[in-house]
Amino acid sequence: MTYPIKLVVNGRKFSPRVEGDETLLHLLREKLGVKGVKAGCESGECGACTVLVDGQPVNSCLILAARCDGKSVLTVEGLRANPQMAILEQAFLEKGAVQCGFCSPGMIISAHSLLQKSPHPTEDEVREAISGNLCRCTGYAKIVEAILAAARRMGEVET
Amino acid sequence: MSRYSRPEYVKVLTVDDAIEELIRNGEAYVVAGGTDLVVNMRLGRCAPRKLVDLSAVPQLSVVSPDHNSVVIGATATMSRIVEALSPWPSLSALTTAASLLGTPQVRNLATIGGNIGNASPSAELVGPLVALGASAVLRGPKGDRCVPIEELFVGPGETVLSKSEVLTAVDVPIPPTKTLTAYARHRRTRVDLATVGVSVALGVTAGRCQHCRVVLTAVAPTPLRAIEAEGVLAGQKLTEEVIAQAALVASAEARPISDVRASADYRRELVEIITRRSLTSLAATLGVN
Ligand SMILES: Cc1cc2nc3c(=O)[nH]c(=O)nc-3n(C[C@H](O)[C@H](O)[C@H](O)COP(=O)(O)OP(=O)(O)OC[C@H]3O[C@@H](n4cnc5c(N)ncnc54)[C@H](O)[C@@H]3O)c2cc1C
Ligand code: FES
Ligand code: FES
């Protein structure tokens, strides 16, 4: 049995059919070709699959696709046109916050979500915001530095 | 394709519709956040024939505090609970537990109803709810019933809910003035289930312990009230000695097992230390030690 749903992914409308137990992660990667969403543990632990659903960061490996009927989903691809993304991306590159890159899409989504809610975060807030995103390469210090640097630069652009 | 035939799915708009689905299909499961159920399905730990999604029932996610009690809808998420109830210092045990559960992403999905329904011995919210004297509101084909959280659990993964009952809300009485609550737990890593959880509620009148509850989690098949430790505190001045004695008694009341997370002995020791620290810090905040 499959079910027709409608959802908006990165501003584009889709009307796929989904299985009752299909996850949003599976729908995005295997049916809609949105490969920026990474499949890591598929158990909610690594955060590589993090997306925003109606503005909230969630693990796409845990949320059922059928539940996302009528919802709006943002993945790292959807940030391409976002001017803040360019700043965040640049900061990640400059600070060496990317090594193998597998965690980066999820990390960027968590960082973006934090900076939307709290444009001038403290280091503790940054660490808390990415606490659901595992990185096996960098040791996190560079990632935290990059997010703090991006926040400062966004502040300068504003003023 | 998949190993087993895949479940049907229905998104209900009312609790009564959910109950009808549960009656019609004996192997239907309700799903709220899915943070336990989706993982369990993937690992083959359960194979529902039908998923009854509660996430779109509007009233179920409401958190409504008033003077005497807070009614928390079953699908209220951890993020929602923390946001709505942080202004109530006396509910600190509950908001602390909700803010410690999982990761930010998980907290945006995980619900209070799912945390109770999953009935894990280390479920984060259960100890605080017992310490607060909360009750679960259950609705089934025959109507509503109200069960104290303390009496809800039968064993790991098992509750008194019948197959066609849905937990609709949790009713948490607001503790009287001069009563504070706290939750503390030990876990090995940032994202792990608790090895030991200790929830305490402490109320004082004229410098003496007037009301107390000490609830231990992850050290027995179901949440455990340390009744004897509570007895040590009742009516007493909260001196260092009384608190140390209560903590020692609590650790003797625990019935832990050894597993991948910790040995039984280590768990007992943790109970004593965490109970002592929690009571000491509450007594200090209440200004009575
Ligand atoms: C990475 C990760 C970390 C986690 N960390 C923690 C942690 O630190 N502490 C902790 O306690 N838990 C943790 N969990 C487990 C889980 O997130 C919680 O137990 C959560 O509260 C479950 O809620 P849910 O809405 O997602 O439940 P679901 O998965 O939707 O449901 C769980 C069970 O409860 C039943 N159920 C759900 N709602 C109802 C209802 N209203 N009435 C009757 N039955 C119902 C379902 O049928 C199912 O059997 C973690 C999970 C993950 C993936
Ligand atoms: S793939 Fe979803 S959290 Fe790891
Ligand atoms: S850069 Fe490799 S996992 Fe983070």
Side-chain angles (χ1 to χ4, degrees), chain B residues 111-126:
Chain B
T111 69
I112 187 170
N115 198 236
I116 295 170
N118 197 49
S120 158
S122 50
E124 219 74 67
L125 300 194
V126 167

Side-chain angles (χ1 to χ4, degrees), chain A residues 25 38-50 59-62 102 132, chain B residues 105:
Chain A
L25 172 65
K38 298 297 166 201
C41 65
E42 295 189 53
S43 306
E45 307 208 1
C46 74
C49 68
T50 304
N59 308 92
S60 61
C61 68
L62 296 178
F102 194 78
Chain B
Q105 293 93 317

Side-chain angles (χ1 to χ4, degrees), chain B residues 153-164:
Chain B
F153 301 96
V154 180
E158 267 183 87
T159 67
V160 302
L161 266 79
S162 80
K163 285 227 162 235
S164 47

